[in-house]
Amino acid sequence: MAGLLNGDDYRAVARKRLPKGLFEYIDRGTEAELALGDIRQSLDRIKLQQVVLAGHDNVDLSVSLFDRKYSCPLIIAPTALAGLVSHDGEAKLARAAGTFGIPFCVSTQSVMTIEDIRKGAPDAELWLQLYVWQNRALTWNLLDRAQGCNAETLIVTVDTPQGPKRDYNQRNGFAIPFVPTVRGISDVLRHPGWLCSVMLRYLMTTGMPSYAHYPPEYRTAITRQTAADDVKIEKTLSWDDIAEIRDRWQGRLILKGILSTVDAERAAQIGADGIVVSAHGGRNFDLAPAPATVLPEIVAKVGGRLEIMADSGVRRGSDVLKYLALGSRSVLIGRLPLYGLAAGGEQGAIDVLAMLLDEMQSNLIFAGIGRVEDFKENAIA
């Protein structure tokens, strides 16, 4: 998009176009938001070794992950309610991912069902992110639906035993259920572009948005009291549950939210195929360590047995490279595609991904690296 040159530019446009409650839900952290600062500082401290006179004018960004080769080491992370950022936003993100031949991970808490996302993006590689519901039968049914949509990879989020404390959501009335307030309604009315292009389109077609993966009998509008016990996130999730999921799921299994070597070892022992070293973007546990600080020891412990991915805090392509230099095989990105989606719909998401790849290529050329697969142990803390 013309005039938008970096992630901060896209974020600024998203902040202008989205209602405050929705923007802050995407953008901010939890409690005192210490984790947000820690993640940023941990990445800013990392420098990359440079080899001069290497003679590269282009870079091969392709990587092998599991049994496949991808054009670049990026995955669009699961993000709840992406369909509120842009109408049919999840399908738009899936198509944007497909443009670059990278996976799109569908959130359990998406506005579109995985079936509708598949219809809207028939050629995309879809993964499913799972929050385990208290009703296991309903959870297993969702897994069956995902496999019916040719989703071969399951990411189980393991770092969310309860909803985090986000004071700004309560002040903005942006909680589930949404609580209409004079302040909130006024804010929405000050964003007529979003109101007309997103919310009114839903109201005129499919009705008030909801968590689409809930079974029909539990599916309620986001403005109504939600989450019967059956579809509440399981607070007592344990390794026994992961073992059962491993037995039931025939595809690749990834655990997202691992931040210790102990848990990484358990993941390997239980038969997971990969892990995401993740602090949930600073949105869950405000005292969690930054992924960049624990990633090297986790790689050293289980790197030969698991595919290790990372996420949290990526603002530029150089941040992706820092995670790769610390041993990650691929990097999940969450907020940046949403900023692009808010700024320019599907094309905005495509442009953000293209921007990241351009930044990665430029930095690798400066570092003297011709293939991103060769970019290992290159970080200087």
Side-chain angles (χ1 to χ4, degrees):
M1 296 179 65
L4 303 185
L5 304 179
N6 55 53
D8 287 341
D9 288 346
Y10 283 93
R11 178 180 178 271
V13 175
R15 185 172 191 170
K16 181 178 180 181
R17 292 188 177 178
L18 298 177
K20 180 181 180 182
L22 179 55
F23 175 77
E24 292 197 344
Y25 171 77
I26 294 167
D27 189 68
R28 297 186 62 178
T30 184
E31 294 196 356
E33 299 182 283
L34 300 175
L36 284 179
D38 289 344
I39 292 167
R40 187 65 255 156
Q41 291 169 20
S42 72
L43 289 170
D44 286 343
R45 284 195 297 266
I46 297 170
K47 308 302 177 185
L48 303 179
Q49 295 176 355
Q50 184 177 25
V51 177
V52 299
L53 303 177
H56 301 300
D57 65 351
N58 201 3
V59 172
D60 180 4
L61 294 176
S62 64
V63 295
S64 296
L65 188 67
F66 301 112
D67 57 350
R68 298 184 183 179
K69 190 163 188 175
Y70 295 95
S71 65
C72 64
L74 295 177
I75 299 162
I76 296 187
T79 49
L81 301 176
L84 291 184
V85 175
S86 180
H87 186 261
D88 288 350
E90 287 93 0
K92 291 174 180 175
L93 288 176
R95 289 194 295 269
T99 299
F100 295 90
I102 63 174
F104 168 70
C105 192
V106 179
S107 171
T108 294
Q109 297 180 332
S110 62
V111 171
M112 298 179 71
T113 65
I114 192 168
E115 291 88 353
D116 285 340
I117 296 169
R118 170 56 71 204
K119 290 177 184 176
D123 300 323
E125 180 176 339
L126 300 184
W127 295 7
L128 176 69
Q129 175 269 338
L130 179 68
Y131 282 123
V132 177
W133 292 327
Q134 291 184 16
N135 185 319
R136 293 299 193 273
L138 297 179
T139 302
W140 308 147
N141 179 258
L142 179 57
L143 297 189
D144 291 340
R145 291 168 57 190
Q147 291 183 318
C149 292
N150 297 319
E152 299 177 356
T153 301
L154 180 69
I155 293 185
V156 181
T157 298
V158 296
D159 62 357
T160 310
Q162 64 178 21
K165 188 175 187 292
R166 298 171 183 163
D167 300 340
Y168 53 89
N169 279 351
Q170 297 181 38
R171 293 194 182 97
N172 294 330
F174 196 92
I176 300 296
F178 290 168
V179 180
T181 64
V182 172
R183 179 180 179 182
I185 293 172
S186 176
D187 183 40
V188 168
L189 293 176
R190 288 196 300 270
H191 296 83
W194 176 86
L195 176 61
C196 294
S197 65
V198 181
M199 187 55 70
L200 288 183
R201 284 189 67 183
Y202 282 125
L203 294 177
M204 294 172 63
T205 53
T206 55
M208 182 65 73
S210 64
Y211 286 148
H213 286 126
Y214 285 177
E217 61 270 29
Y218 298 113
R219 200 176 301 159
T220 60
I222 55 177
T223 54
R224 295 174 55 192
Q225 188 62 43
T226 190
D229 288 343
D230 279 348
V231 289
K232 285 182 178 178
I233 295 175
E234 178 57 76
K235 293 183 177 181
T236 61
L237 195 68
S238 71
W239 287 103
D240 290 339
D241 295 298
I242 301 302
E244 184 172 6
I245 292 171
R246 176 67 287 179
D247 288 341
R248 288 177 174 273
W249 180 258
Q250 300 305 307
R252 290 177 289 272
L253 176 64
I254 299 169
L255 304 185
K256 181 177 182 291
I258 301 295
L259 288 170
S260 73
T261 55
V262 172
D263 285 338
E265 180 66 37
R266 290 291 298 272
Q269 292 173 354
I270 212 162
D273 299 289
I275 60 174
V276 183
V277 179
S278 167
H280 215 105
R283 293 169 51 78
N284 267 8
F285 183 34
D286 209 23
L287 304 182
T293 65
V294 298
L295 181 56
E297 60 182 344
I298 291 175
V299 171
K301 183 72 172 180
V302 299
R305 290 177 285 162
L306 293 170
E307 292 282 18
I308 299 177
M309 292 149 276
D311 74 14
S312 299
V314 171
R315 292 185 182 178
R316 285 186 176 270
S318 56
D319 293 331
V320 175
L321 295 180
K322 290 174 183 180
Y323 279 130
L324 296 178
L326 294 174
S328 175
R329 297 285 299 151
S330 191
V331 177
L332 282 70
I333 49 173
R335 289 183 175 98
L336 280 177
L338 293 180
Y339 296 152
L341 191 64
E346 182 178 336
Q347 186 59 50
I350 290 172
D351 291 344
V352 160
L353 292 171
M355 174 198 72
L356 282 174
L357 295 180
D358 182 67
E359 291 175 347
M360 290 169 64
Q361 184 168 84
S362 174
N363 278 279
L364 282 174
I365 289 174
F366 273 111
I369 303 294
R371 296 174 65 249
V372 75
E373 286 275 25
D374 299 331
F375 195 64
K376 300 173 183 177
E377 298 180 357
N378 192 279
I380 304 175

